[in-house]
Amino acid sequence: MRRVLVVEDETSIRELIALNLQMAGYQVLEAGSAEQGLALLSQGQKCDAAVLDVMLPGMNGFSLCETIRRDDPNIGIIILSAKSMEQDKIRGLSIGADDYMTKPFSVSELLARIEALCRRVNRGAAEAPVPDETRMVSGQFILDQKSRVLYKAGKPIDLTQVEFQIMELFFQNPGTALVREKILEGVWGENYYGDVKIVDVNIRRLRMKVEDEPSSPKHILTVWGYGYRWNG
Protein backbone atom coordinates (compact mmCIF):
# COMPACT_ATOMS: atom_id res chain seq x y z
CA MET A 1 0.00 0.00 0.00
CA ARG A 2 1.30 3.43 -0.91
CA ARG A 3 2.09 5.69 2.03
CA VAL A 4 1.81 9.48 2.21
CA LEU A 5 3.13 11.81 4.91
CA VAL A 6 0.89 14.83 5.58
CA VAL A 7 2.48 17.63 7.61
CA GLU A 8 -0.08 20.35 8.38
CA ASP A 9 -0.60 22.21 11.65
CA GLU A 10 -4.26 23.05 10.97
CA THR A 11 -6.05 19.97 12.27
CA SER A 12 -9.16 20.36 10.10
CA ILE A 13 -7.13 20.61 6.88
CA ARG A 14 -4.81 17.75 7.86
CA GLU A 15 -7.72 15.47 8.70
CA LEU A 16 -9.52 16.40 5.48
CA ILE A 17 -6.49 15.48 3.39
CA ALA A 18 -5.87 12.30 5.39
CA LEU A 19 -9.48 11.15 5.15
CA ASN A 20 -9.61 11.58 1.39
CA LEU A 21 -6.28 9.83 0.95
CA GLN A 22 -7.45 6.91 3.08
CA MET A 23 -10.68 6.68 1.08
CA ALA A 24 -8.53 6.52 -2.06
CA GLY A 25 -6.58 3.56 -0.64
CA TYR A 26 -3.49 5.24 0.78
CA GLN A 27 -1.88 4.71 4.15
CA VAL A 28 -1.44 8.12 5.79
CA LEU A 29 1.03 9.38 8.37
CA GLU A 30 -0.10 12.63 10.00
CA ALA A 31 2.06 15.24 11.69
CA GLY A 32 1.26 18.68 13.08
CA SER A 33 4.83 19.96 12.81
CA ALA A 34 8.00 19.43 10.82
CA GLU A 35 9.67 17.89 13.84
CA GLN A 36 6.87 15.32 14.21
CA GLY A 37 7.08 14.52 10.51
CA LEU A 38 10.83 13.95 10.66
CA ALA A 39 10.39 11.78 13.74
CA LEU A 40 7.97 9.53 11.82
CA LEU A 41 10.40 9.23 8.92
CA SER A 42 13.31 8.52 11.26
CA GLN A 43 11.38 5.54 12.63
CA GLY A 44 11.68 3.88 9.25
CA GLN A 45 8.25 4.98 7.99
CA LYS A 46 9.30 5.30 4.35
CA CYS A 47 6.78 7.20 2.24
CA ASP A 48 6.02 7.40 -1.47
CA ALA A 49 4.95 11.05 -1.20
CA ALA A 50 4.71 13.93 1.25
CA VAL A 51 2.37 16.91 1.48
CA LEU A 52 4.05 19.71 3.40
CA ASP A 53 2.48 22.93 4.60
CA VAL A 54 4.85 25.90 4.58
CA MET A 55 3.67 27.84 7.63
CA LEU A 56 4.43 25.40 10.43
CA PRO A 57 5.33 25.97 14.09
CA GLY A 58 9.09 25.62 14.57
CA MET A 59 10.81 24.45 11.40
CA ASN A 60 8.94 25.69 8.33
CA GLY A 61 7.89 23.62 5.34
CA PHE A 62 10.71 24.83 3.10
CA SER A 63 13.36 23.66 5.57
CA LEU A 64 11.45 20.41 6.07
CA CYS A 65 11.39 19.87 2.30
CA GLU A 66 15.16 20.38 2.07
CA THR A 67 15.77 17.97 4.94
CA ILE A 68 13.54 15.24 3.51
CA ARG A 69 15.00 15.65 0.03
CA ARG A 70 18.57 15.27 1.29
CA ASP A 71 17.66 11.90 2.81
CA ASP A 72 15.38 10.62 0.04
CA PRO A 73 15.85 11.71 -3.60
CA ASN A 74 12.92 9.56 -4.74
CA ILE A 75 10.03 10.66 -2.55
CA GLY A 76 7.44 12.87 -4.24
CA ILE A 77 6.98 16.19 -2.43
CA ILE A 78 4.11 18.67 -2.73
CA ILE A 79 4.41 22.04 -1.02
CA LEU A 80 1.04 23.28 0.22
CA SER A 81 0.74 26.91 1.29
CA ALA A 82 -1.47 29.97 1.50
CA LYS A 83 1.38 31.89 -0.12
CA SER A 84 0.74 32.46 -3.81
CA MET A 85 3.61 34.78 -4.69
CA GLU A 86 5.73 33.58 -7.59
CA GLN A 87 9.00 33.65 -5.65
CA ASP A 88 7.56 31.32 -3.00
CA LYS A 89 6.62 28.78 -5.67
CA ILE A 90 10.05 29.02 -7.26
CA ARG A 91 11.75 28.65 -3.88
CA GLY A 92 9.76 25.53 -3.06
CA LEU A 93 10.54 23.90 -6.39
CA SER A 94 14.19 24.95 -6.30
CA ILE A 95 14.86 23.26 -2.96
CA GLY A 96 13.51 19.91 -4.05
CA ALA A 97 9.70 19.97 -4.14
CA ASP A 98 8.10 18.28 -7.14
CA ASP A 99 4.93 20.34 -7.07
CA TYR A 100 3.33 23.36 -5.38
CA MET A 101 -0.31 24.09 -4.55
CA THR A 102 -1.83 27.14 -2.92
CA LYS A 103 -4.71 27.32 -0.47
CA PRO A 104 -7.62 27.15 -0.89
CA PHE A 105 -7.17 24.00 -2.95
CA SER A 106 -9.29 21.33 -4.59
CA VAL A 107 -9.00 18.01 -2.75
CA SER A 108 -9.60 16.10 -5.97
CA GLU A 109 -6.81 18.03 -7.68
CA LEU A 110 -4.47 17.36 -4.76
CA LEU A 111 -5.28 13.64 -4.95
CA ALA A 112 -4.60 13.64 -8.70
CA ARG A 113 -1.20 15.23 -8.16
CA ILE A 114 -0.32 12.81 -5.36
CA GLU A 115 -1.33 9.92 -7.60
CA ALA A 116 0.96 11.23 -10.36
CA LEU A 117 3.86 11.56 -7.90
CA CYS A 118 3.35 8.05 -6.54
CA ARG A 119 3.30 6.60 -10.05
CA ARG A 120 6.71 8.16 -10.68
CA VAL A 121 8.11 6.83 -7.40
CA ASN A 122 6.75 3.35 -8.05
CA ARG A 123 7.96 3.48 -11.63
CA GLY A 124 11.48 4.06 -10.37
CA ALA A 125 11.22 1.08 -8.04
CA ALA A 126 9.80 -1.14 -10.78
CA GLU A 127 12.53 -0.20 -13.22
CA ALA A 128 15.38 -0.81 -10.81
CA PRO A 129 16.02 -4.46 -11.82
CA VAL A 130 16.51 -3.78 -15.54
CA PRO A 131 19.75 -5.13 -17.07
CA ASP A 132 22.90 -3.01 -17.07
CA GLU A 133 22.98 -2.93 -20.88
CA THR A 134 19.98 -0.61 -20.83
CA ARG A 135 22.25 2.23 -19.72
CA MET A 136 21.74 5.24 -21.95
CA VAL A 137 24.89 6.99 -23.17
CA SER A 138 25.24 10.55 -24.46
CA GLY A 139 28.77 11.89 -24.81
CA GLN A 140 30.43 11.86 -21.39
CA PHE A 141 27.08 11.17 -19.70
CA ILE A 142 25.59 7.80 -18.77
CA LEU A 143 22.02 7.51 -17.50
CA ASP A 144 21.80 4.29 -15.48
CA GLN A 145 18.20 3.07 -15.34
CA LYS A 146 19.08 0.43 -12.78
CA SER A 147 20.54 2.73 -10.13
CA ARG A 148 18.55 5.80 -11.28
CA VAL A 149 21.81 7.75 -11.28
CA LEU A 150 23.33 10.03 -13.89
CA TYR A 151 27.09 9.74 -14.40
CA LYS A 152 29.22 12.54 -15.81
CA ALA A 153 32.73 11.48 -16.80
CA GLY A 154 32.33 8.53 -14.42
CA LYS A 155 31.21 10.63 -11.45
CA PRO A 156 27.69 10.00 -10.10
CA ILE A 157 25.10 12.78 -9.93
CA ASP A 158 22.10 12.06 -7.72
CA LEU A 159 18.80 13.11 -9.28
CA THR A 160 15.26 13.38 -7.97
CA GLN A 161 12.65 11.29 -9.77
CA VAL A 162 11.47 14.36 -11.70
CA GLU A 163 15.02 15.28 -12.71
CA PHE A 164 15.73 11.69 -13.76
CA GLN A 165 12.65 11.57 -15.97
CA ILE A 166 13.52 14.87 -17.62
CA MET A 167 16.97 13.45 -18.40
CA GLU A 168 15.32 10.31 -19.82
CA LEU A 169 13.33 12.51 -22.19
CA PHE A 170 16.49 14.33 -23.23
CA PHE A 171 18.44 11.11 -23.80
CA GLN A 172 15.56 9.65 -25.81
CA ASN A 173 15.43 12.80 -27.96
CA PRO A 174 19.06 13.91 -28.45
CA GLY A 175 19.45 17.16 -30.34
CA THR A 176 15.67 17.60 -30.52
CA ALA A 177 14.02 20.78 -29.29
CA LEU A 178 11.38 19.75 -26.75
CA VAL A 179 8.58 22.21 -26.11
CA ARG A 180 7.89 22.86 -22.42
CA GLU A 181 4.43 21.34 -22.71
CA LYS A 182 5.89 18.07 -24.03
CA ILE A 183 8.29 17.88 -21.10
CA LEU A 184 5.44 18.66 -18.71
CA GLU A 185 3.25 15.94 -20.23
CA GLY A 186 6.08 13.40 -20.41
CA VAL A 187 7.08 13.82 -16.76
CA TRP A 188 4.02 15.05 -14.87
CA GLY A 189 1.38 13.34 -17.02
CA GLU A 190 -1.11 14.58 -19.59
CA ASN A 191 -3.72 15.44 -16.97
CA TYR A 192 -1.40 17.63 -14.90
CA TYR A 193 -3.03 20.90 -13.84
CA GLY A 194 0.07 22.92 -13.01
CA ASP A 195 2.05 25.69 -14.65
CA VAL A 196 4.74 24.99 -17.28
CA LYS A 197 7.07 27.17 -15.20
CA ILE A 198 7.69 24.08 -13.07
CA VAL A 199 9.70 22.80 -16.04
CA ASP A 200 11.92 25.89 -16.02
CA VAL A 201 12.64 25.54 -12.30
CA ASN A 202 13.63 21.89 -12.67
CA ILE A 203 15.81 22.69 -15.68
CA ARG A 204 17.57 25.34 -13.61
CA ARG A 205 18.13 22.76 -10.87
CA LEU A 206 19.43 20.21 -13.38
CA ARG A 207 21.88 22.70 -14.85
CA MET A 208 23.35 23.25 -11.39
CA LYS A 209 24.09 19.52 -11.31
CA VAL A 210 25.24 18.71 -14.85
CA GLU A 211 26.83 21.87 -16.23
CA ASP A 212 30.38 23.03 -15.57
CA GLU A 213 29.09 26.62 -15.81
CA PRO A 214 25.32 26.65 -15.14
CA SER A 215 25.08 30.28 -16.28
CA SER A 216 26.56 29.29 -19.64
CA PRO A 217 25.12 25.81 -20.30
CA LYS A 218 26.69 23.52 -22.90
CA HIS A 219 24.38 20.53 -22.51
CA ILE A 220 20.87 21.68 -21.55
CA LEU A 221 20.29 24.40 -24.09
CA THR A 222 17.42 26.89 -24.17
CA VAL A 223 15.41 27.13 -27.38
CA TRP A 224 14.06 30.62 -26.90
CA GLY A 225 10.29 30.93 -26.99
CA TYR A 226 9.94 27.15 -27.27
CA GLY A 227 11.66 24.89 -24.75
CA TYR A 228 14.94 23.01 -24.29
CA ARG A 229 17.36 20.82 -26.24
CA TRP A 230 19.88 18.27 -24.96
CA ASN A 231 23.43 18.34 -26.31
CA GLY A 232 25.50 15.46 -24.94
Side-chain angles (χ1 to χ4, degrees):
M1 180 182 291
R2 292 171 297 185
R3 182 183 294 153
V4 179
L5 172 67
V6 179
V7 184
E8 165 65 67
D9 63 324
E10 293 189 42
T11 304
S12 59
I13 295 177
R14 187 177 68 248
E15 290 180 347
L16 175 66
I17 296 172
L19 176 62
N20 280 273
L21 282 169
Q22 289 163 353
M23 291 174 63
Y26 293 88
Q27 181 181 352
V28 182
L29 302 179
E30 296 184 51
S33 69
E35 291 78 9
Q36 291 176 6
L38 290 174
L40 289 172
L41 294 175
S42 69
Q43 295 168 8
Q45 301 277 16
K46 188 173 179 62
C47 293
D48 299 281
V51 180
L52 313 178
D53 184 37
V54 169
M55 303 302 291
L56 295 168
M59 178 189 290
N60 65 35
F62 291 130
S63 297
L64 175 59
C65 175
E66 288 182 297
T67 302
I68 292 175
R69 180 58 77 208
R70 277 198 303 268
D71 294 334
D72 189 346
N74 296 322
I75 186 174
I77 300 177
I78 296 178
I79 291 286
L80 188 64
S81 174
K83 293 187 175 183
S84 58
M85 295 178 66
E86 193 69 21
Q87 57 263 37
D88 292 317
K89 295 182 182 180
I90 292 174
R91 180 184 176 191
L93 295 170
S94 297
I95 61 176
D98 297 290
D99 208 346
Y100 192 111
M101 290 186 67
T102 54
K103 300 175 183 177
F105 59 90
S106 161
V107 174
S108 60
E109 181 178 340
L110 176 61
L111 289 178
R113 295 195 186 194
I114 292 172
E115 174 66 26
L117 284 178
C118 287
R119 278 200 303 269
R120 288 204 294 275
V121 171
N122 291 334
R123 176 189 169 193
E127 289 182 353
V130 299
D132 287 343
E133 58 264 25
T134 61
R135 287 184 172 190
M136 304 174 73
V137 180
S138 179
Q140 64 179 320
F141 294 91
I142 297 175
L143 195 67
D144 191 328
Q145 293 177 295
K146 179 179 180 180
S147 63
R148 310 295 285 183
V149 174
L150 175 69
Y151 292 89
K152 179 182 180 181
K155 296 181 179 180
I157 301 172
D158 289 330
L159 303 177
T160 67
Q161 281 295 319
V162 166
E163 291 165 353
F164 189 90
Q165 287 186 259
I166 291 175
M167 291 305 301
E168 278 186 317
L169 277 179
F170 281 145
F171 273 54
Q172 290 162 1
N173 299 275
T176 302
L178 299 178
V179 68
R180 288 174 174 83
E181 287 77 8
K182 178 176 176 61
I183 298 174
L184 192 72
E185 179 178 332
V187 176
W188 283 268
E190 60 182 16
N191 295 319
Y192 180 72
Y193 298 95
D195 195 317
V196 292
K197 289 180 181 177
I198 193 173
V199 173
D200 299 325
V201 175
N202 278 279
I203 292 294
R204 190 179 312 147
R205 205 162 62 192
L206 269 171
R207 281 174 171 162
M208 295 296 293
K209 296 183 177 184
V210 306
E211 300 284 358
D212 294 329
E213 295 290 341
S215 61
S216 182
K218 305 292 185 184
H219 304 292
I220 303 177
L221 306 178
T222 299
V223 181
W224 295 106
Y226 190 80
Y228 299 96
R229 175 167 55 86
W230 171 252
N231 176 32

